[in-house]
Amino acid sequence: MKKKATNSRKKQKKEIELPTPKLHKDDDISASDIDEDDMVVEQHDDGVDSASDVSSDADQPFTDDFLHGSDDEDNVVDDDDQEKGSDSDSESDGSDIEKKSKAIDAKKALEEQEAKDEMLINIKEQDDDFRLLTPQQLKEEAQGPPDLPRLQRRIKEIVRVLSNFKTLRQEGASRKDYVNQLTMDLSSYYGYNDYLIEVLVEMFPAVELVELIEAFEKPRPMCLRTNTLKARRRDLAGILLNRGVNLDPLSKWSKVGLVVYDSQVPIGATPEYMAGFYMLQSASSFLPVMALAPQEKERVVDMAAAPGGKTTYVAALMKNSGVIFANEMKEKRLKSLTANLSRMGVTNTVVCNYDGRELPKVLGQNSADRVLLDAPCSGTGVISKDESVKTSKSLEDIQSCCHLQKELILAAIDMVDANSKSGGYIVYSTCSIMVAENEAVIDYALKKRDVKLVPCGLDFGRPGFTNYREQRFHPSLEKTRRFYPHVHNMDGFFVAKLKKMSNSRAAPAPTAEQPEGVDEVIEPTESVIKKNVEDKVVHHRKHESTTREKVQPNNGVAENGKDEKTFSGKKRKERKRFSRDEISKSREEKRAALRTAAKGKSFSKEKKVAKKAQTTE
Amino acid sequence: MRPLDEKETTQVFEKLFNFTGNNLKNIVEAPSHEGPESDPGRYCFRLNKNRVYYVSESLVKRATNVKRDKLVALGTQIGKFTKGGAFHLTIQSLNLLAANAKHKVWLKPTAEMSFMYGNHVLKGGLGRITENINTNDGVVVFSMSDMPLGFGVAVKSTQDCRKMDPNGIVVIHRADIGEYLRMEDEL
């Protein structure tokens, strides 16, 4: 009680001290009969405090003094005077009491008013109750330069509203209005182009979207991979620690990764780096190789190898045995690829410079145990590395990317030998988070070739989409893995592992487990490709004809292709005449014939050897 | 890609012999471990676009279906023929040389960086040196922790080294691993 009394007393004192000097006299007077005064004041103030403290006094005890004019102060002081007067002749008549109560009422009203005013000021400052802008306001805003703090605040507000839309939304505003505003604000605040930000908004809920975009603004931690051909991770970590590099093992999922926090020496120019003890590469580029899981003595193809981070990892896992075909189309990237390969002491590699789509003709169909296709992509997962992606990518870019990717993945599948003893796998990865470049490509491959998805062997990462907006993918696409910067603290990445079931080039016959609906999905991304093809043939046969058309010009050279062409010609005629069952039957026969022919010819030797290897193992 | 002709073979072998001495036999006769076959055969030398590669026979067989102008590299590059027809060992051959080296020097940690920027090895930076080095022998340069750093040619024999002053050159620089960074495009 006493404490509170002194408290309120102090408050009063301050109130009095602040205004003009004339008031000090009053203060002196009150100081003389301090004890009695305290008691009374306490009574009054208790009542007042309970009303005012909650609203204004508790936060800012002084603001009302400053905000209100001096006349208000005078009022307050007058009240005090009256109180004091009443105090001095305390037990007097009823009129005094009435006066007192009136004074109290007046004071109460005043403070309530003050509280209200203050509330209003607060609202103006913080815009607590978020409201969408009217078209008029938007127009005005578009004319001026962007007000970044305001944009950021608005983004936050919209995300808050969207996360609890039912209760927080503005009367009459639809979710779409909010999302549109958010899209606009994000694109102007972070500098994305309209297309990219729209796709991202479609892919993620608002809260996650903002996290993702924020994560894109920050660089990912620098990682290095120990080259197990030359060093062990513990030794390497020791050496680098001595050089003043602050590092840690990457994660429990990698036995060769190290993450670098900071370093006193340039980490890309230490003697150990030049001696090939480690490779600087992002954590995400470990994943496709781990999914590929190459075995010793295998034939592996890396279709887009430069600058060699993944290729050298594959070679290290194979302990320099077997053979790797490292292909790279861009000539200027070959230098870094070969330099890295020799620096890391990789000796089992043949580096070649083809377009990935020609590789099956060069290396032979069904000639590899595993194929790694780290496809060229739009790079929407690595915006933190390359800011230009934000503005440079359009729908056309993505479409041309995924067209190329679809051709490449078919080429990759054609190269793999389904009858391989140890392998028969294709790993497809991109550093993009676009559905069109990832799930849609895999789904396309599932329809065009006899392959199935298998688990990647990575126990983290999000499963791929099986439904995305109007698109419905094969249910097994949940076995693919997606990685995001805001969840896994690595670049945006996608990994899928396919197993080739048979060496036939046709798609698998539709079975019971694959419902009809899945086959006939509307895929807007495919529409581009479809345009090139005649409409007569059924969906999945379309592609066969396109690939053949592409193959034809070069057919004069490759004998394999020639055979195929004559086959396909026959097939096409038959298709028109027979029913579905008959077609599949005849196709089955042809496949068998092809298989035996292929076995008899070029691969008999290898297979014998492979068998031998198996038995010895 | 083609095998070396007789003249080229002598040139290559002379250079290698300078560094490895009788260990050259190991290089030529060692069984290879690359290639998918259970017995990938031996190593051989192949010439592609003036560069000489030391590569498993099994890889050579598989690389034959790659067009000549599309084939970039295979196995280990060990050197290249200059336009004038001389043969130079390049830094990529270091692993091979280090494994079979006859003459070695070890550098003190302070001298490592200097060598890796392309400077010659001075007496002052010398940590250890093998015996019986003669003038003009090929020498492989190691760090004190046995990490190969490059190679060069001895100026003085081991005996003469003892009497030298600290600023004298012991090994003339030929190639070092810093070239991977300094001149990636010219390798």
Side-chain angles (χ1 to χ4, degrees), chain A residues 156-271:
Chain A
K156 256 184 211 158
E157 283 301 331
I158 297 180
V159 168
R160 194 176 62 89
V161 172
L162 284 176
S163 62
N164 192 359
F165 195 65
K166 223 177 215 171
T167 53
L168 294 176
R169 73 165 176 170
Q170 184 182 324
E171 205 57 41
S174 69
R175 187 176 278 270
K176 207 178 169 191
D177 298 333
Y178 279 96
V179 171
N180 283 344
Q181 182 66 44
L182 180 67
T183 315
M184 261 166 50
D185 290 349
L186 282 175
S187 73
S188 56
Y189 187 76
Y190 292 99
Y192 284 82
N193 68 8
D194 293 346
Y195 168 70
L196 191 57
I197 197 75
E198 264 165 37
V199 176
L200 290 177
V201 168
E202 283 171 1
M203 271 180 75
F204 296 97
V207 182
E208 209 185 336
L209 172 72
V210 173
E211 277 175 16
L212 175 77
I213 289 178
E214 273 295 333
F216 274 147
E217 296 299 303
K218 294 178 210 124
R220 302 272 75 76
M222 183 164 30
C223 287
L224 51 89
R225 177 180 60 79
T226 321
N227 182 16
T228 47
L229 292 173
K230 291 199 170 187
R232 286 187 303 168
R233 181 165 77 167
R234 192 188 297 170
D235 301 342
L236 177 69
I239 297 170
L240 290 178
L241 275 173
N242 283 338
R243 291 198 185 275
V245 182
N246 185 8
L247 43 70
D248 252 342
L250 177 59
S251 268
K252 61 174 188 296
W253 50 264
S254 172
K255 285 199 172 82
V256 292
L258 289 166
V259 58
V260 178
Y261 299 117
D262 60 276
S263 163
Q264 291 165 12
V265 291
I267 195 77
T270 62

Side-chain angles (χ1 to χ4, degrees), chain A residues 456-594:
Chain A
C456 293
L458 304 165
D459 53 358
F460 62 114
R462 293 211 186 148
F465 291 107
T466 50
N467 304 327
Y468 178 68
R469 303 182 74 76
E470 74 278 12
Q471 302 174 42
R472 297 290 169 272
F473 301 122
H474 195 274
S476 65
L477 267 155
E478 65 174 8
K479 286 176 185 162
T480 63
R481 283 287 172 269
R482 284 178 156 265
F483 300 89
Y484 296 119
H486 60 291
V487 186
H488 308 99
N489 198 17
M490 54 175 79
D491 295 322
F493 215 77
F494 175 83
V495 180
K497 186 175 185 180
L498 295 159
K499 169 120 177 79
K500 190 167 177 181
M501 301 315 285
S502 76
N503 280 338
S504 75
R505 295 197 63 177
T511 50
E513 63 175 326
Q514 192 177 335
E516 283 290 311
V518 178
D519 239 340
E520 312 293 327
V521 199
I522 316 136
E523 269 185 73
T525 48
E526 254 180 62
S527 57
V528 189
I529 301 160
K530 277 183 189 170
K531 272 177 205 164
N532 304 335
V533 195
E534 324 94 292
D535 288 342
K536 287 175 208 164
V537 209
V538 196
H539 182 72
H540 69 259
R541 279 166 209 158
K542 271 179 194 171
H543 181 77
E544 285 183 359
S545 54
T546 42
T547 44
R548 252 155 227 148
E549 275 161 19
K550 273 167 213 150
V551 167
Q552 271 172 10
N554 297 321
N555 257 339
V557 194
E559 279 191 18
N560 265 351
K562 237 181 203 168
D563 291 352
E564 288 252 336
K565 199 179 96 192
T566 50
F567 262 120
S568 70
K570 273 182 206 165
K571 257 189 213 167
R572 239 182 251 165
K573 275 175 203 162
E574 281 167 2
R575 251 174 226 154
K576 279 168 195 165
R577 270 183 271 149
F578 296 116
S579 75
R580 223 174 173 169
D581 287 346
E582 283 169 313
I583 292 167
S584 65
K585 210 188 251 172
S586 66
R587 218 187 273 162
E588 208 44 64
E589 286 168 12
K590 235 142 239 167
R591 257 180 240 162
L594 254 177

Side-chain angles (χ1 to χ4, degrees), chain B residues 57-75:
Chain B
E57 281 172 349
S58 155
L59 252 69
V60 171
K61 210 168 65 192
R62 280 166 192 284
T64 45
N65 46 6
V66 179
K67 268 194 233 164
R68 197 183 315 162
D69 59 329
K70 297 284 187 188
L71 183 67
V72 182
L74 69 164

